[in-house]
Amino acid sequence: MIFREKFKQDMVITRNMKLSERIKQARKDARLTQDQMAEQLGITKGAVSQWEAGKTKPRNGTLKKIAKITGKPVVWLMDLNDVISFDEIGRSSLEKSSIPVYGQSATGSNDEIDLHQQLFSIACPPQLYGVKNVYALLIPDNMMSPRYELGEIIFIDPTRHARTDDYVVIQIRNDKTSRLQAFIGKLVRHNSEELVIRHLNPGLALYFSHEQILSIGLIVISSTIR
């Protein structure tokens, strides 16, 4: 609970900080010099200095590396105003309704997303008004690249029927912790015995029995970083 409240507080602070300031703050919180950060990232000190001066910006893949070495969530380092394409979502919908956005990887796993930790809320796209149990995920990794990149927001409709080769989100309940978790992938097979999805990067197949599955949601919209 303490971590969750701290995360929310950090997100509020992040919204009021420029990317250059967030990178610098993350480095200082990790007690790293510019030289040390550059060495761990395999780049020059000058590149780090340019980021912190606001003259250049790191690529999305580099943001993930910065998050890893500084201990910050990737989303903390991202400018949510850049991540969310309001032209696609519709600015007029902001005051009508909102849906939860999740995106933290489950502890000890790069495949699972913890659905007990909401990152923030976002306006519901007009196409999904009235649909029950709609939610969104902020892609926390490059597991679905190049289809969905790190930092994209995907919107899931759990009421739509998914077919082979559709991109879906599978919800299960962890047997050990009883926590809701989600898996993103391309639907490979769904029969009376099992459901199989595949990550794109790398091409890892995940197998689920019907007893594990709580819901199968179709990814219907994605919002890209501009």
Side-chain angles (χ1 to χ4, degrees):
M1 182 63 70
I2 294 176
F3 171 80
R4 187 171 182 176
E5 293 304 316
K6 179 63 165 58
F7 182 83
K8 289 180 179 179
Q9 183 181 27
D10 283 347
M11 286 302 299
V12 172
I13 294 172
T14 302
R15 282 183 175 275
N16 298 321
M17 296 172 67
K18 296 179 180 179
L19 174 60
S20 57
E21 296 171 330
R22 281 179 273 125
I23 293 174
K24 185 175 183 179
Q25 186 64 52
R27 176 178 62 78
K28 288 188 172 182
D29 287 349
R31 298 183 179 180
L32 295 172
T33 65
Q34 288 186 344
D35 282 316
Q36 290 170 329
M37 175 178 274
E39 182 179 357
Q40 292 192 40
L41 292 173
I43 59 174
T44 65
K45 175 186 176 182
V48 176
S49 179
Q50 291 279 310
W51 296 340
E52 294 186 358
K55 295 181 179 179
T56 60
K57 294 182 179 181
R59 295 177 180 272
N60 294 334
T62 305
L63 277 179
K64 178 185 174 184
K65 294 178 182 178
I66 294 173
K68 184 176 181 180
I69 67 174
T70 61
K72 295 289 187 184
V74 174
V75 68
W76 189 93
L77 287 165
M78 291 179 172
D79 186 342
L80 298 181
N81 291 323
D82 288 339
V83 172
I84 302 167
S85 173
F86 287 110
D87 290 335
E88 186 172 350
I89 295 172
R91 289 183 180 274
S92 62
S93 67
L94 285 173
E95 297 180 356
K96 293 182 179 180
S97 61
S98 62
I99 57 177
V101 180
Y102 305 92
Q104 282 298 98
S105 295
T107 303
S109 173
N110 293 325
D111 301 325
E112 307 168 30
I113 294 177
D114 190 343
L115 294 180
H116 278 265
Q117 183 163 297
Q118 180 178 333
L119 300 181
F120 51 92
S121 295
I122 191 173
C124 180
Q127 303 95 311
L128 295 175
Y129 284 167
V131 179
K132 293 183 178 180
N133 301 319
V134 172
Y135 63 100
L137 297 178
L138 180 68
I139 302 295
D141 209 321
N142 63 352
M143 67 181 77
M144 293 303 294
S145 177
R147 176 72 180 193
Y148 303 114
E149 299 289 353
L150 169 71
E152 281 193 55
I153 293 179
I154 57 174
F155 295 84
I156 296 92
D157 182 350
T159 68
R160 293 271 297 275
H161 177 70
R163 300 178 179 179
T164 301
D165 292 333
D166 281 341
Y167 291 90
V168 298
V169 175
I170 309 301
Q171 282 192 28
I172 70 166
R173 188 177 298 279
N174 187 295
D175 292 334
K176 295 181 179 179
T177 64
S178 295
R179 297 178 72 85
L180 286 176
Q181 293 174 342
F183 296 81
I184 307 170
K186 186 175 184 178
L187 185 58
V188 176
R189 182 169 63 254
H190 186 196
N191 55 39
S192 59
E193 297 181 356
E194 64 181 2
L195 182 147
V196 183
I197 61 174
R198 183 180 299 277
H199 291 333
L200 299 184
N201 186 28
L204 175 67
L206 303 177
Y207 297 79
F208 303 91
S209 66
H210 280 282
E211 290 75 17
Q212 293 177 283
I213 300 170
L214 296 178
S215 73
I216 304 169
L218 183 67
I219 300 174
V220 291
I221 306 172
S222 67
S223 177
T224 58
I225 296 178
R226 291 175 291 180

